[in-house]
Amino acid sequence: TAVTSLVALGFALLPATAVAAPVPNVAFTGTVTVSGEPAGSHYITNTGTWTASGFVSGTFDVSEKTWFGSGTVHDVSTLTAAGGTITVDVQGRFVSFTAVSAHVQGVWAITGGTGAYANLSGNGDYDATVNRSVQPRIVTESLTGVAEGGASN
């Protein structure tokens, strides 16, 4: 009928509802020191400490294994606290590289957890600066994004 057609046309002309991007609710920041560069390998190992704030909070001991290739970085970090562990996967790219520093940007995702973090999920933006002027090298890292599930610490 004409009324049905007008109603359908009215709904079709309504503006689409925009889906808002999730508001970041978690941040991990800290430093790690390059602790190993096995001969002949394409990876390094790093250890250090991150502090989490927001949905997850507290201080975590961090152990990382980082692979490099064609300007990209793949990093798997294990964060350990009294409540359990969180595994974070980072995919990044070198955005600048000088004799004294390297800058990496990318994304991160929580890929696993134990204890209080067993059902934790999350993802976001990754930013890191490698201080190449000191030995061992120091990496300052910042991860911001959204997290849900698990039990906040």
Side-chain angles (χ1 to χ4, degrees):
T1 69
V3 172
T4 304
S5 296
L6 285 175
V7 170
L9 178 62
F11 281 112
L13 294 176
L14 288 175
T17 303
V19 177
V23 175
N25 69 352
V26 68
F28 298 94
T29 58
T31 59
V32 294
T33 302
V34 175
S35 56
E37 297 183 60
S41 69
H42 295 286
Y43 71 89
I44 59 173
T45 57
N46 311 312
T47 55
T49 305
W50 284 0
T51 300
S53 60
F55 187 78
V56 176
S57 62
T59 301
F60 292 83
D61 292 326
V62 178
S63 172
E64 299 177 340
K65 188 170 184 178
T66 306
W67 294 265
F68 305 95
S70 301
T72 63
V73 176
H74 176 207
D75 178 279
V76 176
S77 300
T78 303
L79 289 63
T80 304
T85 64
I86 302 171
T87 303
V88 176
D89 186 86
V90 171
Q91 299 290 329
R93 179 167 296 284
F94 287 102
V95 293
S96 67
F97 201 91
T98 69
V100 296
S101 69
H103 186 197
V104 178
Q105 291 180 325
V107 294
W108 62 269
I110 295 172
T111 58
T114 65
Y117 311 107
N119 296 312
L120 187 66
S121 64
N123 60 70
D125 295 320
Y126 175 82
D127 191 81
T129 301
V130 181
N131 182 342
R132 302 179 69 231
S133 67
V134 296
Q135 289 297 330
R137 288 177 294 225
I138 297 172
V139 183
T140 303
E141 299 175 291
S142 174
L143 296 78
T144 56
V146 294
E148 63 184 14
S152 53
N153 206 5

